[in-house]
Amino acid sequence: MIRLLSRNIIRFLVLVLIQVLVLNNIQLSGYINPYFYILFILLLPFEIPGWAVTLFGFLIGMTIDLFANTPGMHAVATTFMGYLRLFILRYMSPRDGYEPGTFPRVFYYGFNWFFRYALILTLAHHFVLFIVESFNFASFGHILLRVILSTIFTLTLIMISQYLIFRK
Amino acid sequence: MNNLIRFIVRNHHFFIFLITEVIAFFFLFQYNQYHKSTFVNKAGVALNGINRFTSDIEDFFYLRDANEKLAEENAHILNTLKRSYKENKISYKEIYDSVYIKQWNYMAVNVINNSVNLQNNYLTLDKGQLHGIKENMGVVGPNGVVGVVKHVSNNYAVVISILNPNFKLSARLSDTKYFGSLHWDGIDPRYCWLDDIPNHIKVDVGDKVETSGYSAIFPAQIPLGEVVEAKKDLNSNFYHIKVRLFIEMQSLTQVYVVENYLRDEITKLESKLNIDD
């Protein structure tokens, strides 16, 4: 239990640092911003209740915001994503539920399941984030393009991480 | 209350989401200049629409007040119009002359009320004390005597008309200069009666009657009328002369108030007789 807690705390810190120090400085042609830190929410254990995931989402979003000097922007998106996770998990749950002791990873539930899971939540997060960021529905096509391109980039990073770091 | 708490507990996931989102949006709008200004603008447009709608409705309910206010303003503006003011101009000029002492002064005034068909007839003039009119001043018309000022206020004067049985005027025959008193009998506004003319003199129909100038109110030789009928009163040795007035009291508009500058002197001197007696 304590190992689980410390692991998540460390993951939180490492992901925030990667996001703030490296990924926030990458901007490909002004369209693509990878937001790898949402992996933290994706990888939270099944046992954590939905409301806690929502709060954790708010927490990590706010932390990123503090570094990026955009208070509330990421928090809005990550809170929404945390709220949504419970319903996505319910929707995608196997016939006999999630087995105790397993985590939402490729290793336990396969590439197909994890990819769909990560895709839906990443899309949701990016969609909210870019809408809030531009805060202007007139350029909706532009926003959609950014959402799709950034989602591809973020998702690529997440899937790679599943094979390089979270192999077990 | 219990149900509400139960509802919140049952949906705690959603409510926590709601609260954290509200906090996040609060930060968003509080600390991001772009989002703040955009939010204020967008919200402003919406609020303006609502405000205009409600103020239109409010305006409708305040129409009555607005009308009253406009009416008041109208009244105020009407009050400043020239026709709301009475002319206070005084149309006479004093000339000092060492050869002639000016005794009589005429002041043109307008008649604003008049009556001829009552027993006691009065006129109202549109000038008063402020313009120099005093009680017991004479009032003459274009061709004859109108009356004597009875009461004055600041801006108006009431005149006792010649067509009033209480008014007696000292008058004389132009040819013979015999004088008597002219008075109205209360019947026909065109005719007055001249009494106290002794019946040994000759009076013909058509003889002119004028003021005597004995009263210190009217100057002498103002034409008053002509004799229509001269009845000899056998009991008293005096004529009872019917006089047709030149002045048409029914159609008076402009008259003159006559002031005798020497009146005080005359009355003071004459009052000494009473003391002597």
Side-chain angles (χ1 to χ4, degrees), chain A residues 19 22-38 115 119 122-123 126 130 145-161:
Chain A
Q19 182 65 40
V22 184
L23 296 179
N24 271 4
N25 299 316
I26 297 177
Q27 276 201 338
L28 297 174
S29 67
Y31 276 113
I32 303 166
N33 301 64
Y35 294 107
F36 185 54
Y37 71 94
I38 59 171
F115 182 78
L119 176 67
T122 308
L123 265 179
H126 283 26
F130 285 122
L145 187 63
R146 287 184 72 189
V147 168
I148 290 164
L149 292 176
S150 292
T151 302
I152 290 168
F153 199 175
T154 306
L155 213 56
T156 308
L157 286 177
I158 287 170
M159 295 316 288
I160 289 170
S161 77

Side-chain angles (χ1 to χ4, degrees), chain A:
Chain A
M1 186 65 204
I2 289 173
R3 242 182 81 214
L4 203 66
L5 190 68
S6 57
R7 259 192 192 177
N8 274 289
I9 290 170
I10 291 165
R11 194 181 298 148
F12 181 94
L13 293 174
V14 170
L15 282 173
V16 166
L17 285 178
I18 290 173
Q19 182 65 40
V20 170
L21 297 178
V22 184
L23 296 179
N24 271 4
N25 299 316
I26 297 177
Q27 276 201 338
L28 297 174
S29 67
Y31 276 113
I32 303 166
N33 301 64
Y35 294 107
F36 185 54
Y37 71 94
I38 59 171
L39 184 64
F40 169 76
I41 297 166
L42 292 177
L43 293 186
L44 283 171
F46 292 119
E47 288 80 13
I48 295 181
W51 61 269
V53 175
T54 310
L55 281 181
F56 284 135
F58 176 74
L59 203 64
I60 194 166
M62 214 57 216
T63 312
I64 298 292
D65 279 332
L66 289 180
F67 284 106
N69 199 20
T70 56
M73 212 169 78
H74 286 278
V76 169
T78 51
T79 305
F80 178 67
M81 183 189 167
Y83 173 70
L84 212 62
R85 197 188 94 132
L86 181 72
F87 303 104
I88 303 299
L89 283 179
R90 265 186 210 157
Y91 172 69
M92 297 179 66
S93 80
R95 200 164 295 146
D96 41 1
Y98 299 104
E99 277 176 38
T102 62
F103 297 99
R105 293 182 191 177
V106 174
F107 178 79
Y108 294 105
Y109 292 96
F111 175 88
N112 206 2
W113 180 89
F114 186 80
F115 182 78
R116 282 193 294 142
Y117 165 66
L119 176 67
I120 293 169
L121 287 179
T122 308
L123 265 179
H125 171 268
H126 283 26
F127 193 70
V128 173
L129 179 69
F130 285 122
I131 281 181
V132 168
E133 189 191 11
S134 73
F135 210 64
N136 181 3
F137 297 96
S139 54
F140 193 72
H142 187 247
I143 292 170
L144 218 59
L145 187 63
R146 287 184 72 189
V147 168
I148 290 164
L149 292 176
S150 292
T151 302
I152 290 168
F153 199 175
T154 306
L155 213 56
T156 308
L157 286 177
I158 287 170
M159 295 316 288
I160 289 170
S161 77
Q162 290 299 300
Y163 290 98
L164 294 182
I165 305 158
F166 305 104
R167 271 174 296 187
K168 192 188 171 245

Side-chain angles (χ1 to χ4, degrees), chain B residues 205-224:
Chain B
V205 171
D207 282 357
K208 299 280 186 292
V209 177
E210 62 182 21
T211 52
S212 66
Y214 292 169
S215 63
I217 292 176
F218 295 102
Q221 294 179 332
I222 297 176
L224 290 173

Side-chain angles (χ1 to χ4, degrees), chain B residues 61-127:
Chain B
F61 285 108
Y62 284 118
L63 275 181
R64 190 194 188 87
D65 281 351
N67 267 343
E68 276 171 16
K69 219 167 272 174
L70 281 178
E72 262 171 40
E73 257 167 45
N74 271 346
H76 178 73
I77 290 165
L78 284 176
N79 281 339
T80 61
L81 282 181
K82 191 170 181 254
R83 67 161 187 254
S84 302
Y85 286 86
K86 199 158 77 69
E87 219 171 282
N88 262 10
K89 196 173 65 188
I90 302 161
S91 54
Y92 70 85
K93 195 160 48 169
E94 289 184 17
I95 300 167
Y96 293 101
D97 190 328
S98 53
V99 178
Y100 297 99
I101 298 172
K102 187 171 165 65
Q103 184 181 4
W104 300 100
N105 181 61
Y106 293 84
M107 189 194 303
V109 297
N110 290 315
V111 176
I112 57 170
N113 194 11
N114 186 14
S115 68
V116 294
N117 46 15
L118 304 175
Q119 275 302 297
N120 300 311
N121 292 301
Y122 292 93
L123 298 91
T124 310
L125 308 180
D126 69 343
K127 293 202 167 61

Side-chain angles (χ1 to χ4, degrees), chain B residues 37-268:
Chain B
S37 62
T38 311
F39 178 72
V40 168
N41 280 343
K42 295 257 163 72
V45 170
L47 286 177
N48 272 349
I50 295 167
N51 280 345
R52 201 175 314 133
F53 180 70
T54 52
S55 81
D56 280 353
I57 292 174
E58 269 177 28
D59 285 352
F60 177 77
F61 285 108
Y62 284 118
L63 275 181
R64 190 194 188 87
D65 281 351
N67 267 343
E68 276 171 16
K69 219 167 272 174
L70 281 178
E72 262 171 40
E73 257 167 45
N74 271 346
H76 178 73
I77 290 165
L78 284 176
N79 281 339
T80 61
L81 282 181
K82 191 170 181 254
R83 67 161 187 254
S84 302
Y85 286 86
K86 199 158 77 69
E87 219 171 282
N88 262 10
K89 196 173 65 188
I90 302 161
S91 54
Y92 70 85
K93 195 160 48 169
E94 289 184 17
I95 300 167
Y96 293 101
D97 190 328
S98 53
V99 178
Y100 297 99
I101 298 172
K102 187 171 165 65
Q103 184 181 4
W104 300 100
N105 181 61
Y106 293 84
M107 189 194 303
V109 297
N110 290 315
V111 176
I112 57 170
N113 194 11
N114 186 14
S115 68
V116 294
N117 46 15
L118 304 175
Q119 275 302 297
N120 300 311
N121 292 301
Y122 292 93
L123 298 91
T124 310
L125 308 180
D126 69 343
K127 293 202 167 61
Q129 223 159 20
L130 293 178
H131 314 94
I133 294 180
K134 298 184 195 103
E135 284 172 17
N136 291 323
M137 278 186 184
V139 179
V140 299
N143 39 20
V145 165
V146 171
V148 168
V149 175
K150 182 86 174 171
H151 299 294
V152 265
S153 66
N154 278 342
N155 288 300
Y156 296 100
V158 174
V159 174
I160 179 165
S161 166
I162 194 173
L163 303 180
N164 190 315
N166 300 323
F167 180 76
K168 280 192 168 62
L169 178 66
S170 176
R172 69 185 178 195
L173 295 165
S174 303
D175 298 338
T176 55
K177 309 294 181 193
Y178 277 92
F179 75 96
S181 80
L182 189 77
H183 65 94
W184 188 53
D185 59 356
I187 296 168
D188 192 331
R190 286 177 300 172
Y191 300 99
C192 279
W193 294 92
L194 180 64
D195 288 336
D196 301 337
I197 304 287
N199 60 12
H200 65 270
I201 63 155
K202 193 170 175 291
V203 176
D204 292 324
V205 171
D207 282 357
K208 299 280 186 292
V209 177
E210 62 182 21
T211 52
S212 66
Y214 292 169
S215 63
I217 292 176
F218 295 102
Q221 294 179 332
I222 297 176
L224 290 173
E226 56 185 6
V227 174
V228 208
E229 188 186 351
K231 284 192 271 190
K232 279 187 180 175
D233 191 344
L234 297 174
N235 297 328
S236 64
N237 294 333
F238 291 111
Y239 277 112
H240 191 54
I241 302 171
K242 191 174 187 181
V243 178
R244 189 180 67 78
L245 295 173
F246 290 140
I247 190 162
E248 288 173 17
M249 294 296 288
Q250 293 100 319
S251 62
L252 280 182
T253 52
Q254 187 141 38
V255 295
Y256 303 92
V257 174
V258 195
E259 183 179 3
N260 185 356
Y261 285 146
L262 305 176
R263 188 192 149 136
D264 281 351
E265 196 179 326
I266 297 168
T267 49
K268 209 177 284 174

